[in-house]
Amino acid sequence: MSNHLDILAIGAHPDDIELTIGGTLIRSVMQGLRVGVLDLTKGELGTRGTVQIRAQEAANASEIIGLSIRENLGLPDGNITSDGLIALIKILRQWRPQIVMTHPNECRHPDHTAAHHLVRNACFYSGLNKIESSDDYLSWRPKHLLYFAEVQLFTPSFVVDVTQEWEDRTKALKCYESQIHSPEYKREKSEPETYISNYSFFEWVEARARTYGQLIGTTYGEPFQYHGTLGVSELDKFLHMEAPFR
């Protein structure tokens, strides 16, 4: 079976994708699309948990989402640089995704900003024939590049309704017991509470989804910014959109 993907979501660390667009990926899988995730690092600098724990958490979450592929590029946590460009180009050419989703330009975490630039550059350079990636894969450039929201102010190009997927999205996120609020996680004495491990942050994740959902007349929504300008040729499709202008 071909390993080509319809959607490839790329995050700096295991859990970044589940924190931001888990519902969209679940919805896409349910619609019959082939969806994959690439984690750029193993999260070895994380305050809580271990690389092994994070890997198992990612595997558990992937099963809930229904991913066709999930891999880790193994770049150094805290040092995502252009050194990973050729390795990422190889993945893009191998999996040939139509849509790539990744971090926005303005992020709280420096790794996320670095990931944004790496992914954006790789999506462009992957389409240049004269850039070799030490394999037999042909050049490839995704048709669409999307950025998902984090904690910074974010004006979306569009919002995906994930109301029906919210329960499973939450289950996938809760797989990361070492990272987010989880009474079941038995943390070591050397593992303090972090920015995302307190209950208030977990509540905020839902509040963010409700905020963007309200913009389109649904309960939960996940927002995206579109890289470039999206062309529309069939205006009659707007007649079938679920949320009315308000």
Side-chain angles (χ1 to χ4, degrees):
M1 182 177 64
S2 170
N3 63 351
H4 295 174
L5 296 173
D6 297 301
I7 298 174
L8 174 60
I10 304 177
H13 315 97
D15 78 3
D16 286 336
I17 296 303
E18 288 81 0
L19 276 165
T20 52
I21 55 172
T24 298
L25 299 190
I26 292 171
R27 185 179 184 89
S28 299
V29 170
M30 295 298 293
Q31 292 172 341
L33 301 181
R34 284 181 54 81
V35 178
V37 168
L38 180 67
D39 302 309
L40 296 180
T41 78
K42 297 179 180 179
E44 61 268 25
L45 295 184
T47 302
R48 294 155 60 103
T50 64
V51 167
Q52 293 75 19
I53 290 174
R54 294 283 286 274
Q56 185 58 58
E57 291 171 342
N60 295 341
S62 299
E63 186 173 350
I64 293 173
I65 296 172
L67 298 178
S68 296
I69 300 173
R70 185 169 198 155
E71 289 189 5
N72 195 297
L73 200 58
L75 300 182
D77 193 8
N79 192 30
I80 297 175
T81 68
S82 59
D83 291 342
L85 182 65
I86 297 301
L88 182 50
I89 286 175
K90 181 178 179 179
I91 290 290
L92 291 172
R93 290 176 173 178
Q94 178 183 358
W95 293 356
R96 304 176 79 81
Q98 300 290 334
I99 300 172
V100 169
M101 303 173 173
T102 195
H103 300 277
N105 183 37
E106 295 187 11
C107 310
R108 170 184 172 272
H109 198 308
D111 280 352
H112 296 186
T113 303
H116 165 88
H117 291 290
L118 178 62
V119 173
R120 187 182 65 180
N121 291 344
C123 284
F124 181 85
Y125 289 125
S126 179
L128 300 184
N129 292 328
K130 291 186 177 180
I131 292 184
E132 298 181 0
S133 54
S134 303
D135 53 53
D136 296 327
Y137 301 118
L138 299 177
S139 60
W140 178 261
R141 186 171 291 155
K143 291 182 178 179
H144 307 286
L145 177 58
L146 306 178
Y147 308 127
F148 46 72
E150 296 194 358
V151 298
Q152 306 287 27
L153 292 176
F154 189 91
T155 301
S157 303
F158 62 90
V159 177
V160 177
D161 178 7
V162 295
T163 303
Q164 293 184 355
E165 295 76 25
W166 189 254
E167 182 177 351
D168 285 338
R169 181 208 193 278
T170 302
K171 290 179 181 177
L173 180 56
K174 285 184 175 181
C175 288
Y176 292 92
E177 293 183 351
S178 68
Q179 302 303 306
I180 66 167
H181 177 76
S182 175
E184 290 75 25
Y185 179 65
K186 307 301 181 184
R187 66 178 183 177
E188 301 293 334
K189 292 182 179 180
S190 60
E191 297 180 333
E193 186 175 88
T194 68
Y195 177 75
I196 69 171
S197 69
N198 64 83
Y199 185 66
S200 294
F201 182 83
F202 190 81
E203 288 184 312
W204 175 83
V205 170
E206 179 174 356
R208 176 184 60 184
R210 284 185 174 274
T211 297
Y212 287 108
Q214 191 274 338
L215 294 178
I216 59 171
T218 65
T219 305
Y220 297 109
E222 291 177 345
F224 292 87
Q225 290 176 345
Y226 188 83
H227 179 84
T229 302
L230 185 63
V232 176
S233 60
E234 300 178 49
L235 291 178
D236 65 311
K237 290 187 176 180
F238 283 102
L239 299 176
H240 305 290
M241 297 178 69
E242 294 181 5
F245 177 78
R246 296 183 300 158

